Amino acid sequence: MALEMIVYILVGIIILQLFEIIFLLYFYNRNKNAKVAGKPIDSSSTLTRIIEDANKKAQEIVQNAVDKADEILYESTSFRTKIEKEMKFVFNDSVNTHKKSFDELLEGAISQYKSVLLDTKKVFNEQMQKTLTTMQSAAQTELQEFQSTAQKNQAFAEEYLKQKIDAEFDLAKKEIEAYKKVEMQRIHDTINIKVNDITVKVLKGSISKEKQEQLVLDALEKAKIDNVM
Amino acid sequence: MKKKSELQPLLDTLTSIDDVIRVQAALDKAIESLYNTKINSTEVLGELFSKEIKQVLVEVAKNKGASTSDPVSFQNVLVSIKEEISKIPHLEITVGTEITEEFLYRIQRWLDTHIEDKVIIEITYDSSVIAGAKISYNGAFHDYTINNQVQTLLNTAN
Protein backbone atom coordinates (compact mmCIF):
# COMPACT_ATOMS: atom_id res chain seq x y z
CA MET A 1 0.00 0.00 0.00
CA ALA A 2 2.75 2.34 1.08
CA LEU A 3 4.70 1.28 -1.98
CA GLU A 4 1.66 1.93 -4.24
CA MET A 5 1.32 5.38 -2.66
CA ILE A 6 4.98 6.12 -3.31
CA VAL A 7 4.60 5.00 -6.92
CA TYR A 8 1.49 7.17 -7.41
CA ILE A 9 3.29 10.15 -5.85
CA LEU A 10 6.32 9.61 -8.08
CA VAL A 11 4.14 9.25 -11.20
CA GLY A 12 2.31 12.39 -10.14
CA ILE A 13 5.60 14.26 -9.74
CA ILE A 14 6.81 13.08 -13.17
CA ILE A 15 3.53 14.16 -14.79
CA LEU A 16 3.74 17.53 -13.13
CA GLN A 17 7.30 17.98 -14.27
CA LEU A 18 6.36 17.02 -17.83
CA PHE A 19 3.57 19.60 -17.77
CA GLU A 20 6.02 22.12 -16.45
CA ILE A 21 8.49 21.38 -19.23
CA ILE A 22 5.74 21.56 -21.85
CA PHE A 23 4.50 24.78 -20.32
CA LEU A 24 7.97 26.26 -20.24
CA LEU A 25 8.62 25.22 -23.85
CA TYR A 26 5.30 26.73 -24.90
CA PHE A 27 6.13 30.04 -23.29
CA TYR A 28 9.64 29.97 -24.66
CA ASN A 29 8.34 29.48 -28.18
CA ARG A 30 5.57 32.02 -27.75
CA ASN A 31 8.05 34.60 -26.52
CA LYS A 32 10.43 33.77 -29.29
CA ASN A 33 7.70 34.10 -31.93
CA ALA A 34 6.41 37.25 -30.38
CA LYS A 35 9.91 38.66 -30.33
CA VAL A 36 10.46 37.80 -33.96
CA ALA A 37 7.05 39.12 -35.01
CA GLY A 38 7.41 42.20 -32.91
CA LYS A 39 10.82 43.10 -34.16
CA PRO A 40 10.63 46.10 -36.51
CA ILE A 41 11.82 45.34 -40.02
CA ASP A 42 15.03 47.06 -40.96
CA SER A 43 13.55 48.05 -44.31
CA SER A 44 16.17 50.64 -45.23
CA SER A 45 19.09 48.26 -44.79
CA THR A 46 17.30 45.48 -46.72
CA LEU A 47 16.45 47.81 -49.54
CA THR A 48 19.91 49.32 -49.53
CA ARG A 49 21.49 45.89 -49.73
CA ILE A 50 19.30 44.82 -52.63
CA ILE A 51 19.76 48.10 -54.45
CA GLU A 52 23.50 47.93 -53.83
CA ASP A 53 23.57 44.47 -55.36
CA ALA A 54 21.64 45.74 -58.35
CA ASN A 55 23.93 48.74 -58.60
CA LYS A 56 26.95 46.50 -58.50
CA LYS A 57 25.54 44.38 -61.29
CA ALA A 58 24.70 47.51 -63.27
CA GLN A 59 28.23 48.81 -62.91
CA GLU A 60 29.51 45.47 -64.15
CA ILE A 61 27.38 45.82 -67.27
CA VAL A 62 28.60 49.35 -67.88
CA GLN A 63 32.18 48.25 -67.32
CA ASN A 64 31.76 45.38 -69.77
CA ALA A 65 30.37 47.79 -72.34
CA VAL A 66 33.29 50.16 -71.80
CA ASP A 67 35.78 47.29 -71.97
CA LYS A 68 34.24 46.18 -75.24
CA ALA A 69 34.45 49.73 -76.59
CA ASP A 70 38.09 49.97 -75.51
CA GLU A 71 38.72 46.67 -77.23
CA ILE A 72 37.33 48.10 -80.45
CA LEU A 73 39.51 51.17 -79.98
CA TYR A 74 42.52 48.91 -79.58
CA GLU A 75 41.52 46.98 -82.69
CA SER A 76 41.18 50.19 -84.68
CA THR A 77 44.65 51.27 -83.53
CA SER A 78 45.99 47.89 -84.43
CA PHE A 79 44.14 48.17 -87.71
CA ARG A 80 46.01 51.38 -88.50
CA THR A 81 49.33 49.61 -88.13
CA LYS A 82 48.14 46.79 -90.36
CA ILE A 83 46.73 49.00 -93.11
CA GLU A 84 49.84 51.20 -93.06
CA LYS A 85 51.93 48.10 -93.52
CA GLU A 86 49.74 46.78 -96.35
CA MET A 87 49.65 50.14 -98.07
CA LYS A 88 53.42 50.44 -97.90
CA PHE A 89 53.70 46.98 -99.37
CA VAL A 90 51.34 47.77 -102.25
CA PHE A 91 52.44 51.30 -103.01
CA ASN A 92 56.01 51.21 -101.81
CA ASP A 93 57.31 54.63 -100.89
CA SER A 94 54.37 56.64 -102.12
CA VAL A 95 52.59 56.24 -98.79
CA ASN A 96 55.64 57.40 -96.89
CA THR A 97 55.50 60.62 -98.85
CA HIS A 98 51.95 61.15 -97.64
CA LYS A 99 52.45 59.61 -94.23
CA LYS A 100 51.90 62.90 -92.42
CA SER A 101 48.54 63.53 -94.04
CA PHE A 102 47.59 59.88 -93.55
CA ASP A 103 48.47 60.08 -89.86
CA GLU A 104 46.57 63.34 -89.47
CA LEU A 105 43.49 61.90 -91.15
CA LEU A 106 43.65 58.72 -89.15
CA GLU A 107 44.19 60.62 -85.90
CA GLY A 108 41.06 62.57 -86.81
CA ALA A 109 39.16 59.34 -87.21
CA ILE A 110 40.44 57.94 -83.92
CA SER A 111 39.57 61.21 -82.19
CA GLN A 112 36.08 61.07 -83.67
CA TYR A 113 35.82 57.49 -82.53
CA LYS A 114 36.85 58.42 -78.99
CA SER A 115 34.22 61.13 -78.99
CA VAL A 116 31.57 58.62 -80.08
CA LEU A 117 32.87 56.27 -77.40
CA LEU A 118 32.58 58.89 -74.66
CA ASP A 119 29.08 59.78 -75.79
CA THR A 120 28.18 56.11 -75.70
CA LYS A 121 29.60 55.69 -72.21
CA LYS A 122 27.62 58.73 -71.09
CA VAL A 123 24.44 57.29 -72.60
CA PHE A 124 25.15 53.93 -70.96
CA ASN A 125 25.52 55.58 -67.58
CA GLU A 126 22.40 57.67 -68.04
CA GLN A 127 20.46 54.63 -69.16
CA MET A 128 21.73 52.62 -66.20
CA GLN A 129 20.97 55.43 -63.75
CA LYS A 130 17.46 55.65 -65.14
CA THR A 131 17.01 51.91 -64.75
CA LEU A 132 18.30 52.01 -61.19
CA THR A 133 15.98 54.87 -60.25
CA THR A 134 13.05 52.95 -61.67
CA MET A 135 14.12 49.85 -59.81
CA GLN A 136 14.62 51.78 -56.56
CA SER A 137 11.22 53.35 -56.87
CA ALA A 138 9.64 49.99 -57.63
CA ALA A 139 11.45 48.43 -54.69
CA GLN A 140 10.18 51.07 -52.28
CA THR A 141 6.61 50.59 -53.48
CA GLU A 142 6.98 46.86 -53.18
CA LEU A 143 8.40 47.23 -49.71
CA GLN A 144 5.56 49.42 -48.49
CA GLU A 145 3.02 47.12 -50.07
CA PHE A 146 4.48 44.16 -48.27
CA GLN A 147 5.23 45.91 -45.03
CA SER A 148 2.38 44.21 -43.22
CA THR A 149 3.17 40.87 -44.81
CA ALA A 150 6.76 41.34 -43.94
CA GLN A 151 5.89 41.85 -40.29
CA LYS A 152 4.27 38.46 -40.40
CA ASN A 153 6.85 36.84 -42.61
CA GLN A 154 9.91 38.90 -43.30
CA ALA A 155 11.82 36.15 -45.05
CA PHE A 156 9.06 35.68 -47.58
CA ALA A 157 8.79 39.43 -48.23
CA GLU A 158 12.52 39.77 -48.71
CA GLU A 159 12.63 36.84 -51.08
CA TYR A 160 9.67 38.17 -53.02
CA LEU A 161 11.25 41.61 -53.27
CA LYS A 162 14.56 40.15 -54.35
CA GLN A 163 12.86 38.13 -57.07
CA LYS A 164 10.97 41.18 -58.31
CA ILE A 165 14.16 43.23 -58.48
CA ASP A 166 16.06 40.43 -60.16
CA ALA A 167 13.31 40.12 -62.77
CA GLU A 168 13.36 43.86 -63.45
CA PHE A 169 17.11 43.86 -63.48
CA ASP A 170 17.24 41.05 -66.03
CA LEU A 171 14.82 42.95 -68.23
CA ALA A 172 16.90 46.12 -67.95
CA LYS A 173 20.05 44.11 -68.62
CA LYS A 174 18.56 42.69 -71.81
CA GLU A 175 17.51 46.17 -72.96
CA ILE A 176 20.97 47.54 -72.25
CA GLU A 177 22.64 44.61 -74.00
CA ALA A 178 20.50 45.23 -77.08
CA TYR A 179 21.27 48.94 -76.91
CA LYS A 180 24.97 48.20 -76.47
CA LYS A 181 24.95 45.92 -79.51
CA VAL A 182 23.31 48.58 -81.69
CA GLU A 183 25.68 51.28 -80.42
CA MET A 184 28.77 49.14 -80.96
CA GLN A 185 27.63 48.35 -84.49
CA ARG A 186 27.12 52.07 -85.08
CA ILE A 187 30.64 52.80 -83.85
CA HIS A 188 32.05 50.03 -86.02
CA ASP A 189 30.18 51.35 -89.07
CA THR A 190 31.30 54.92 -88.39
CA ILE A 191 34.90 53.80 -88.10
CA ASN A 192 34.75 51.64 -91.21
CA ILE A 193 33.25 54.45 -93.28
CA LYS A 194 35.85 56.89 -91.96
CA VAL A 195 38.72 54.49 -92.53
CA ASN A 196 37.50 53.77 -96.05
CA ASP A 197 37.26 57.51 -96.77
CA ILE A 198 40.75 58.04 -95.45
CA THR A 199 42.12 55.14 -97.42
CA VAL A 200 40.54 56.45 -100.62
CA LYS A 201 41.86 59.98 -99.98
CA VAL A 202 45.33 58.87 -99.03
CA LEU A 203 45.71 56.35 -101.80
CA LYS A 204 44.36 58.73 -104.41
CA GLY A 205 46.74 61.40 -103.23
CA SER A 206 49.65 59.01 -103.14
CA ILE A 207 49.25 57.65 -106.66
CA SER A 208 50.97 59.78 -109.26
CA LYS A 209 49.16 61.00 -112.37
CA GLU A 210 51.34 58.74 -114.51
CA LYS A 211 50.47 55.75 -112.34
CA GLN A 212 46.75 56.63 -112.47
CA GLU A 213 46.88 56.80 -116.25
CA GLN A 214 48.81 53.56 -116.47
CA LEU A 215 46.19 51.84 -114.30
CA VAL A 216 43.42 53.06 -116.65
CA LEU A 217 45.32 51.67 -119.63
CA ASP A 218 45.90 48.45 -117.67
CA ALA A 219 42.13 48.30 -117.12
CA LEU A 220 41.58 48.58 -120.89
CA GLU A 221 44.14 45.82 -121.50
CA LYS A 222 42.39 43.57 -119.00
CA ALA A 223 39.00 44.39 -120.55
CA LYS A 224 40.34 43.34 -123.94
CA ILE A 225 41.73 40.09 -122.50
CA ASP A 226 38.37 39.46 -120.80
CA ASN A 227 36.57 40.11 -124.13
CA VAL A 228 34.61 42.98 -122.63
CA MET A 229 35.33 44.78 -125.93
CA MET B 1 42.52 45.43 -139.02
CA LYS B 2 40.02 48.24 -138.52
CA LYS B 3 37.27 48.46 -141.14
CA LYS B 4 37.67 51.60 -143.21
CA SER B 5 34.61 53.68 -143.96
CA GLU B 6 34.31 56.41 -146.54
CA LEU B 7 33.48 58.59 -143.56
CA GLN B 8 36.72 57.62 -141.83
CA PRO B 9 38.21 61.13 -141.69
CA LEU B 10 35.02 62.36 -140.02
CA LEU B 11 34.86 59.35 -137.70
CA ASP B 12 38.48 59.90 -136.74
CA THR B 13 37.52 63.26 -135.29
CA LEU B 14 35.11 61.56 -132.93
CA THR B 15 36.81 60.53 -129.73
CA SER B 16 34.55 61.51 -126.90
CA ILE B 17 30.85 62.01 -126.38
CA ASP B 18 31.50 65.78 -126.59
CA ASP B 19 32.91 65.33 -130.09
CA VAL B 20 29.76 63.45 -131.10
CA ILE B 21 27.51 66.18 -129.73
CA ARG B 22 29.55 68.86 -131.50
CA VAL B 23 29.48 67.06 -134.88
CA GLN B 24 25.76 66.21 -134.60
CA ALA B 25 25.01 69.88 -133.89
CA ALA B 26 27.14 70.93 -136.88
CA LEU B 27 25.28 68.48 -139.13
CA ASP B 28 21.95 69.89 -137.91
CA LYS B 29 23.11 73.40 -138.76
CA ALA B 30 24.22 72.19 -142.17
CA ILE B 31 20.79 70.66 -142.78
CA GLU B 32 19.07 73.90 -141.76
CA SER B 33 21.26 75.92 -144.12
CA LEU B 34 20.18 73.77 -147.07
CA TYR B 35 16.73 75.36 -147.03
CA ASN B 36 17.91 78.92 -146.50
CA THR B 37 18.17 80.50 -149.94
CA LYS B 38 20.11 83.42 -148.54
CA ILE B 39 22.88 81.16 -147.34
CA ASN B 40 25.34 79.25 -149.45
CA SER B 41 25.30 75.72 -148.09
CA THR B 42 28.77 74.91 -149.35
CA GLU B 43 30.15 77.92 -147.52
CA VAL B 44 28.30 76.88 -144.38
CA LEU B 45 29.87 73.42 -144.61
CA GLY B 46 33.22 75.13 -144.82
CA GLU B 47 32.46 77.12 -141.71
CA LEU B 48 31.19 74.14 -139.75
CA PHE B 49 33.79 71.55 -140.75
CA SER B 50 37.43 71.46 -141.68
CA LYS B 51 38.37 71.46 -145.30
CA GLU B 52 39.06 67.74 -145.20
CA ILE B 53 35.76 66.84 -143.54
CA LYS B 54 33.83 69.14 -145.84
CA GLN B 55 35.43 67.32 -148.77
CA VAL B 56 34.45 63.97 -147.25
CA LEU B 57 30.82 65.07 -146.87
CA VAL B 58 30.67 66.33 -150.42
CA GLU B 59 32.30 63.12 -151.72
CA VAL B 60 29.93 60.88 -149.77
CA ALA B 61 26.97 62.90 -151.09
CA LYS B 62 28.33 62.70 -154.58
CA ASN B 63 28.71 58.91 -154.32
CA LYS B 64 25.07 58.74 -153.33
CA GLY B 65 23.98 60.98 -156.16
CA ALA B 66 23.33 63.99 -153.96
CA SER B 67 24.68 67.54 -153.95
CA THR B 68 24.30 70.77 -151.98
CA SER B 69 22.23 72.15 -154.84
CA ASP B 70 19.64 69.47 -154.14
CA PRO B 71 18.65 70.17 -150.52
CA VAL B 72 16.46 67.10 -150.12
CA SER B 73 18.99 64.57 -151.37
CA PHE B 74 21.84 66.26 -149.45
CA GLN B 75 19.73 66.37 -146.33
CA ASN B 76 19.16 62.61 -146.64
CA VAL B 77 22.89 62.06 -146.84
CA LEU B 78 23.56 64.22 -143.76
CA VAL B 79 20.76 62.52 -141.83
CA SER B 80 22.19 59.10 -142.70
CA ILE B 81 25.61 60.27 -141.51
CA LYS B 82 24.04 61.44 -138.25
CA GLU B 83 22.42 58.04 -137.86
CA GLU B 84 25.67 56.29 -138.58
CA ILE B 85 27.41 58.35 -135.92
CA SER B 86 24.67 57.67 -133.38
CA LYS B 87 25.14 53.94 -133.94
CA ILE B 88 28.80 54.01 -132.94
CA PRO B 89 29.03 52.08 -129.68
CA HIS B 90 30.09 53.89 -126.56
CA LEU B 91 32.86 52.67 -124.35
CA GLU B 92 32.13 53.94 -120.88
CA ILE B 93 35.21 54.36 -118.72
CA THR B 94 34.59 55.28 -115.09
CA VAL B 95 37.59 56.81 -113.40
CA GLY B 96 38.32 58.53 -110.10
CA THR B 97 40.48 61.39 -111.31
CA GLU B 98 40.32 63.93 -114.07
CA ILE B 99 41.29 62.77 -117.53
CA THR B 100 43.26 65.29 -119.54
CA GLU B 101 42.71 65.86 -123.26
CA GLU B 102 46.15 64.49 -123.86
CA PHE B 103 45.41 61.28 -122.01
CA LEU B 104 42.03 60.97 -123.73
CA TYR B 105 43.81 60.91 -127.09
CA ARG B 106 46.25 58.40 -125.67
CA ILE B 107 43.29 56.19 -124.84
CA GLN B 108 41.93 56.75 -128.34
CA ARG B 109 45.27 55.74 -129.84
CA TRP B 110 45.27 52.63 -127.71
CA LEU B 111 41.74 51.78 -128.89
CA ASP B 112 42.69 52.43 -132.53
CA THR B 113 45.51 49.95 -132.15
CA HIS B 114 43.77 47.29 -130.13
CA ILE B 115 40.07 47.45 -130.96
CA GLU B 116 38.64 46.72 -134.37
CA ASP B 117 35.42 48.68 -134.04
CA LYS B 118 35.14 52.42 -133.83
CA VAL B 119 34.04 53.44 -130.35
CA ILE B 120 33.13 56.69 -128.66
CA ILE B 121 34.81 57.17 -125.32
CA GLU B 122 32.46 58.23 -122.58
CA ILE B 123 34.33 59.24 -119.46
CA THR B 124 32.43 59.14 -116.18
CA TYR B 125 33.85 60.37 -112.89
CA ASP B 126 33.29 58.58 -109.64
CA SER B 127 35.09 60.04 -106.63
CA SER B 128 35.02 56.69 -104.84
CA VAL B 129 37.31 55.16 -107.46
CA ILE B 130 40.86 55.15 -106.09
CA ALA B 131 42.62 54.16 -109.29
CA GLY B 132 42.08 52.02 -112.34
CA ALA B 133 38.76 52.04 -114.15
CA LYS B 134 35.38 50.46 -114.54
CA ILE B 135 34.74 49.49 -118.14
CA SER B 136 31.31 49.21 -119.67
CA TYR B 137 30.82 48.24 -123.28
CA ASN B 138 27.86 46.79 -125.20
CA GLY B 139 26.09 45.84 -121.99
CA ALA B 140 29.15 44.18 -120.49
CA PHE B 141 30.61 45.65 -117.33
CA HIS B 142 33.86 44.99 -115.53
CA ASP B 143 35.41 46.63 -112.50
CA TYR B 144 39.15 47.03 -112.94
CA THR B 145 39.63 49.55 -110.17
CA ILE B 146 42.00 48.87 -107.31
CA ASN B 147 39.09 49.47 -104.92
CA ASN B 148 38.38 45.77 -104.66
CA GLN B 149 42.03 45.10 -103.94
CA VAL B 150 42.03 47.75 -101.21
CA GLN B 151 38.74 46.49 -99.81
CA THR B 152 40.27 43.02 -99.51
CA LEU B 153 43.18 44.55 -97.59
CA LEU B 154 40.78 46.49 -95.39
CA ASN B 155 38.79 43.36 -94.64
CA THR B 156 41.96 41.43 -93.87
CA ALA B 157 43.22 44.17 -91.58
CA ASN B 158 39.86 44.54 -89.92
Side-chain angles (χ1 to χ4, degrees):
Chain A
M1 184 67 184
L3 188 64
E4 273 186 336
M5 279 297 286
I6 291 167
V7 171
Y8 283 139
I9 289 165
L10 280 172
V11 170
I13 289 166
I14 290 166
I15 289 168
L16 280 171
Q17 280 183 336
L18 277 172
F19 270 109
E20 190 185 341
I21 289 165
I22 290 165
F23 187 72
L24 284 170
L25 278 172
Y26 166 75
F27 269 95
Y28 174 77
N29 281 328
R30 198 184 69 168
N31 288 342
K32 189 184 168 192
N33 288 338
K35 195 179 174 185
V36 169
K39 184 186 172 187
I41 291 173
D42 189 359
S43 57
S44 61
S45 67
T46 306
L47 182 62
T48 305
R49 183 173 52 78
I50 293 168
I51 294 299
E52 273 175 3
D53 283 350
N55 210 334
K56 201 177 161 190
K57 284 184 190 175
Q59 290 306 323
E60 276 172 16
I61 290 181
V62 173
Q63 195 51 52
N64 284 342
V66 172
D67 287 348
K68 179 66 184 164
D70 285 341
E71 195 182 310
I72 293 170
L73 177 63
Y74 171 76
E75 280 175 3
S76 72
T77 311
S78 164
F79 161 79
R80 181 174 68 174
T81 314
K82 283 182 186 172
I83 193 68
E84 264 185 326
K85 215 168 162 182
E86 297 287 1
M87 280 161 62
K88 278 176 190 167
F89 177 73
V90 176
F91 299 102
N92 302 321
D93 293 334
S94 57
V95 169
N96 284 331
T97 319
H98 296 79
K99 194 176 182 307
K100 197 184 166 197
S101 60
F102 175 78
D103 283 347
E104 280 171 4
L105 287 165
L106 205 55
E107 281 309 323
I110 297 293
S111 166
Q112 191 187 13
Y113 169 78
K114 281 179 179 170
S115 167
V116 174
L117 184 66
L118 284 172
D119 285 350
T120 308
K121 280 158 87 170
K122 195 179 161 195
V123 175
F124 279 156
N125 284 323
E126 282 171 4
Q127 179 93 349
M128 190 50 76
Q129 197 54 50
K130 197 175 153 191
T131 307
L132 287 174
T133 309
T134 310
M135 283 164 62
Q136 198 162 354
S137 166
Q140 278 167 345
T141 310
E142 293 287 341
L143 197 70
Q144 282 164 7
E145 210 170 280
F146 284 89
Q147 191 75 33
S148 55
T149 312
Q151 282 171 354
K152 292 174 188 168
N153 194 335
Q154 189 185 353
F156 168 78
E158 278 189 22
E159 185 55 33
Y160 180 83
L161 187 61
K162 190 177 177 303
Q163 280 176 9
K164 287 286 278 184
I165 285 182
D166 280 351
E168 288 203 28
F169 183 83
D170 284 344
L171 189 67
K173 192 178 170 183
K174 278 177 191 165
E175 283 175 4
I176 288 166
E177 282 296 325
Y179 174 78
K180 188 173 79 175
K181 200 174 167 187
V182 170
E183 277 301 298
M184 285 302 162
Q185 190 56 50
R186 193 172 68 83
I187 291 171
H188 249 306
D189 292 346
T190 308
I191 289 299
N192 282 341
I193 289 166
K194 194 73 189 169
V195 167
N196 282 353
D197 286 351
I198 289 167
T199 308
V200 169
K201 276 183 191 172
V202 170
L203 289 181
K204 268 179 132 174
S206 67
I207 300 169
S208 67
K209 187 185 154 208
E210 289 72 26
K211 181 77 178 170
Q212 285 275 6
E213 291 180 352
Q214 189 52 52
L215 288 168
V216 173
L217 291 174
D218 287 351
L220 290 168
E221 290 274 5
K222 284 177 193 165
K224 183 172 163 51
I225 292 166
D226 292 345
N227 289 321
V228 175
M229 54 190 184
Chain B
M1 194 65 190
K2 205 179 277 285
K3 286 175 275 182
K4 288 284 177 184
S5 154
E6 55 182 345
L7 282 171
Q8 200 57 48
L10 173 64
L11 299 181
D12 286 345
T13 66
L14 305 174
T15 300
S16 68
I17 191 83
D18 289 340
D19 295 333
V20 172
I21 293 167
R22 184 175 44 76
V23 169
Q24 298 275 36
L27 289 169
D28 282 336
K29 275 191 180 175
I31 291 167
E32 275 175 34
S33 72
L34 294 171
Y35 296 95
N36 191 334
T37 50
K38 291 175 187 173
I39 299 172
N40 183 325
S41 301
T42 313
E43 278 179 21
V44 171
L45 284 178
E47 286 168 13
L48 292 168
F49 301 98
S50 68
K51 194 178 173 185
E52 187 191 10
I53 301 300
K54 178 190 163 189
Q55 193 56 43
V56 167
L57 294 174
V58 172
E59 280 295 317
V60 169
K62 193 179 167 187
N63 291 341
K64 291 184 177 178
S67 72
T68 49
S69 56
D70 178 6
V72 176
S73 63
F74 202 77
Q75 179 188 348
N76 288 338
V77 171
L78 295 181
V79 167
S80 69
I81 291 171
K82 273 187 73 181
E83 282 172 0
E84 196 170 329
I85 290 171
S86 66
K87 283 177 188 167
I88 301 171
H90 289 201
L91 172 69
E92 193 179 328
I93 305 172
T94 305
V95 291
T97 50
E98 199 182 337
I99 296 282
T100 60
E101 281 290 314
E102 190 189 353
F103 184 54
L104 190 65
Y105 283 108
R106 208 173 140 201
I107 293 173
Q108 183 59 62
R109 281 202 302 276
W110 186 92
L111 291 169
D112 287 342
T113 315
H114 295 88
I115 307 298
E116 197 173 319
D117 299 325
K118 169 70 186 171
V119 293
I120 299 296
I121 303 166
E122 197 175 335
I123 300 288
T124 308
Y125 293 99
D126 178 353
S127 60
S128 70
V129 171
I130 298 168
K134 293 175 186 173
I135 309 284
S136 181
Y137 183 69
N138 273 345
F141 172 81
H142 268 263
D143 187 341
Y144 298 108
T145 64
I146 67 161
N147 288 48
N148 287 338
Q149 192 185 339
V150 171
Q151 195 57 51
T152 309
L153 290 177
L154 284 170
N155 292 340
T156 311
N158 217 1

